[in-house]
């Protein structure tokens, strides 16, 4: 229910016929998780808070540095050395006291990804590295969450909506991380670019929450701030079936892991008692694997009958990130020993 002050605060957007009172109520009822409170995260957070999104989670383990201030406009000189997640939540609370904020002052990792994400309606990836991007994507695929993605480098930015009503996910666009990882630290970035791309991301979030307009689901928009080129590409989804949302319980238990040497020893000693599951995509399994069956993350909980209960189950992937998540997904819904292969098949 909107109070009198909220009706006045949001008046200018509520008079839009596409949004109206019902749209504003949807915004107030919505919960959004944002990964990364840096250059992209700052404008996204400010505009979602100003628009009245009811609950916002902020994940970031970094602190404000002087080199951030030319583009991360939520912070100022007096914030240097302070935790971004906490200082952002405090500043945004002043911007809009009708919004609830939760600050997660920690890195988004395979062992906390599910617990952090599972209670939010929408996830927005404002991270700046490929490890986190793939982990955010895989978590959203496993949980059936819509993901808004953005990236920036030098003068060019990208925006997309992934995993929305069967649309493509990040791995459909980029199946594997690039061999060369150039980020803003090495390549540089013009200060206005994260603001420009962040506003597009915030706009996609508002449209998705309110159910209005045309979104970037199944599309990638590329914006070049140097020559003003704006291009939109279609992304084909490799999986056409709906992704089931597994029932998950919050858990603080440590994820059971083994290294490659331990697995090799098990296979050599009692191979008939070990059951391998490759939780990567089918095309990754076909490119090379160490045996077992192939059950991508989003098929895992729907395929429990394919997993024997009288063997040691070892989940593996490329880097060990998705396999950790697989162990967490199976916790509480599968009875038996389940392990993640630490650092993946190439560890």
């Amino acid at each position: 229910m909107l109070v009198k002050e909220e009706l006045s605060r949001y008046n200018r957007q509520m008079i839009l016929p596409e949004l109206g009172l019902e749209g504003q109520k949807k915004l107030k009822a919505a919960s959004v998780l944002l990964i990364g409170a840096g250059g992209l995260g700052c404008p996204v957070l400010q505009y979602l808070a100003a628009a009245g999104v009811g609950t916002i989670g902020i994940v970031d383990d970094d602190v404000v540095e002087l080199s951030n201030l030319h583009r991360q406009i939520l912070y100022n000189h007096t914030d240097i050395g302070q935790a971004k997640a906490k200082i952002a939540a405090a500043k945004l609370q002043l911007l809009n006291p009708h919004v609830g904020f939760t600050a997660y002052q920690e890195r988004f990792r395979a062992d906390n990804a599910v617990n952090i994400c599972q209670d939010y309606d929408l996830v927005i990836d404002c991270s700046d590295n490929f490890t986190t991007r793939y982990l955010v994507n895989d978590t959203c695929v496993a949980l059936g969450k819509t993901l808004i993605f953005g990236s920036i480098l030098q003068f060019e930015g990208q925006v997309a909506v992934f995993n929305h009503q069967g649309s493509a996910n990040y791995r459909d666009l980029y199946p594997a991380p690039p061999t060369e990882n150039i980020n803003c630290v090495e390549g540089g970035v013009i200060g206005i670019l994260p603001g420009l791309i962040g506003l597009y991301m915030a706009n996609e979030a508002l449209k998705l929450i309110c159910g209005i307009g045309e979104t970037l689901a199944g599309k990638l928009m590329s914006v070049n701030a140097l020559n003003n080129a704006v291009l939109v590409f279609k992304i084909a989804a490799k999986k056409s079936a709906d992704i089931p949302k597994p029932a998950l319980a919050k858990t603080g238990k440590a994820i059971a892991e083994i290294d490659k040497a331990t697995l090799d020893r098990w296979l050599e000693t009692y191979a008939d008692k070990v059951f391998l599951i490759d939780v990567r995509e089918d095309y990754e399994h076909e490119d090379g694997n160490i045996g077992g069956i192939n059950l991508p993350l989003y098929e895992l909980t729907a395929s429990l009958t394919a997993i024997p209960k009288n063997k040691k189950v070892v989940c593996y992937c490329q880097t060990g990130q998705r396999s950790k998540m697989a162990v967490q997904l199976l916790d509480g819904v599968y009875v038996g020993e389940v392990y993640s292969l630490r650092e993946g098949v190439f560890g």
Side-chain angles (χ1 to χ4, degrees), residues 198-245:
L199 293 185
Y200 272 112
M201 296 170 74
N203 191 49
E204 290 302 298
L206 298 182
K207 291 189 291 182
L208 286 164
I209 292 168
C210 296
I212 61 175
E214 181 179 338
T215 71
L216 288 169
K219 303 172 186 175
L220 177 75
M221 181 172 71
S222 174
V223 179
N224 189 310
L226 195 59
N227 61 17
N228 294 317
V230 179
L231 303 172
V232 178
F233 306 92
K234 290 185 178 180
I235 311 169
K238 290 186 171 63
K239 294 285 183 179
S240 59
D242 290 336
I243 299 172
K245 178 180 177 181

Side-chain angles (χ1 to χ4, degrees), residues 87-280:
I87 196 70
K91 288 173 178 276
L92 294 165
Q93 195 71 76
L94 294 174
L95 173 63
N96 192 344
H98 300 286
V99 177
F101 299 94
T102 300
Y104 302 88
Q105 191 184 339
E106 55 188 304
R107 181 167 289 277
F108 192 77
R109 307 181 309 272
D111 58 357
N112 64 15
V114 171
N115 283 342
I116 291 176
C117 282
Q118 63 182 354
D119 292 331
Y120 289 89
D121 302 324
L122 180 65
V123 178
I124 303 180
D125 182 8
C126 298
S127 64
D128 61 359
N129 65 87
F130 287 105
T131 299
T132 303
R133 287 174 188 167
Y134 281 95
L135 178 58
V136 173
N137 175 80
D138 295 345
T139 304
C140 288
V141 169
L143 296 175
K145 304 280 186 184
T146 296
L147 169 64
I148 298 175
F149 161 80
S151 69
I152 52 172
L153 182 64
Q154 298 178 337
F155 291 92
E156 188 171 351
Q158 298 179 338
V159 186
V161 174
F162 292 126
N163 202 41
H164 181 62
Q165 298 177 348
S167 72
N169 70 72
Y170 185 69
R171 286 185 182 274
D172 292 326
L173 179 63
Y174 301 115
T179 54
E180 187 178 7
N181 181 12
I182 301 176
N183 56 29
C184 295
V185 176
E186 292 85 18
V189 61
I190 189 71
I192 62 92
L193 184 62
L196 181 64
I197 299 302
L199 293 185
Y200 272 112
M201 296 170 74
N203 191 49
E204 290 302 298
L206 298 182
K207 291 189 291 182
L208 286 164
I209 292 168
C210 296
I212 61 175
E214 181 179 338
T215 71
L216 288 169
K219 303 172 186 175
L220 177 75
M221 181 172 71
S222 174
V223 179
N224 189 310
L226 195 59
N227 61 17
N228 294 317
V230 179
L231 303 172
V232 178
F233 306 92
K234 290 185 178 180
I235 311 169
K238 290 186 171 63
K239 294 285 183 179
S240 59
D242 290 336
I243 299 172
K245 178 180 177 181
L248 295 169
K250 289 186 177 180
T251 175
K253 291 191 293 185
I255 295 174
E257 292 183 276
I258 61 169
D259 57 22
K260 187 65 164 55
T262 301
L263 176 60
D264 290 341
R265 188 169 62 252
W266 286 1
L267 291 174
E268 184 178 347
T269 306
Y270 41 81
D272 59 328
K273 295 182 180 179
V274 180
F275 190 79
L276 298 176
I277 303 177
D278 184 350
V279 297
R280 300 176 298 168

Side-chain angles (χ1 to χ4, degrees), residues 265-326:
R265 188 169 62 252
W266 286 1
L267 291 174
E268 184 178 347
T269 306
Y270 41 81
D272 59 328
K273 295 182 180 179
V274 180
F275 190 79
L276 298 176
I277 303 177
D278 184 350
V279 297
R280 300 176 298 168
E281 298 288 334
D282 50 7
Y283 60 86
E284 294 176 278
H285 181 79
E286 291 170 3
D287 284 343
N289 62 80
I290 57 173
I293 65 171
N294 181 209
L295 288 177
L297 273 177
Y298 47 82
E299 295 179 3
L300 200 57
T301 56
S303 306
L304 294 178
T305 55
I307 308 174
K309 295 182 176 61
N310 60 342
K311 296 186 179 183
K312 293 180 184 291
V313 175
V314 179
C315 299
Y316 69 89
C317 63
Q318 199 84 356
T319 63
Q321 297 297 313
R322 278 177 280 177
S323 59
K324 283 184 184 178
M325 200 183 313

Side-chain angles (χ1 to χ4, degrees), residues 327-344:
V327 174
Q328 197 169 8
L329 287 169
L330 290 173
D331 181 53
V333 297
Y334 172 78
V335 179
E337 293 183 56
V338 186
Y339 301 88
S340 168
L341 181 60
R342 186 183 296 118
E343 296 182 356

Side-chain angles (χ1 to χ4, degrees), residues 9-152:
R9 176 184 286 265
Y10 308 128
N11 174 265
R12 295 299 188 273
Q13 67 187 27
M14 286 172 57
I15 62 176
L16 294 169
E18 294 86 352
L19 197 140
L21 177 60
E22 289 307 309
Q24 194 63 53
K25 288 180 178 178
K26 289 179 181 178
L27 291 174
K28 186 177 179 67
S31 59
V32 174
L33 179 69
L34 187 134
I35 315 293
L40 286 173
C42 285
V44 175
L45 285 168
Q46 287 171 288
Y47 276 89
L48 293 188
V53 172
T55 302
I56 298 176
I58 309 168
V59 184
D60 201 304
D61 69 337
D62 202 3
V63 298
V64 179
E65 298 178 2
L66 181 60
S67 60
N68 299 150
L69 300 183
H70 90 290
R71 66 194 183 281
Q72 299 180 20
I73 42 75
L74 181 58
Y75 312 117
N76 60 55
H77 189 82
T78 64
D79 300 322
I80 292 173
Q82 296 194 61
K84 288 182 180 179
K86 290 188 176 181
I87 196 70
K91 288 173 178 276
L92 294 165
Q93 195 71 76
L94 294 174
L95 173 63
N96 192 344
H98 300 286
V99 177
F101 299 94
T102 300
Y104 302 88
Q105 191 184 339
E106 55 188 304
R107 181 167 289 277
F108 192 77
R109 307 181 309 272
D111 58 357
N112 64 15
V114 171
N115 283 342
I116 291 176
C117 282
Q118 63 182 354
D119 292 331
Y120 289 89
D121 302 324
L122 180 65
V123 178
I124 303 180
D125 182 8
C126 298
S127 64
D128 61 359
N129 65 87
F130 287 105
T131 299
T132 303
R133 287 174 188 167
Y134 281 95
L135 178 58
V136 173
N137 175 80
D138 295 345
T139 304
C140 288
V141 169
L143 296 175
K145 304 280 186 184
T146 296
L147 169 64
I148 298 175
F149 161 80
S151 69
I152 52 172

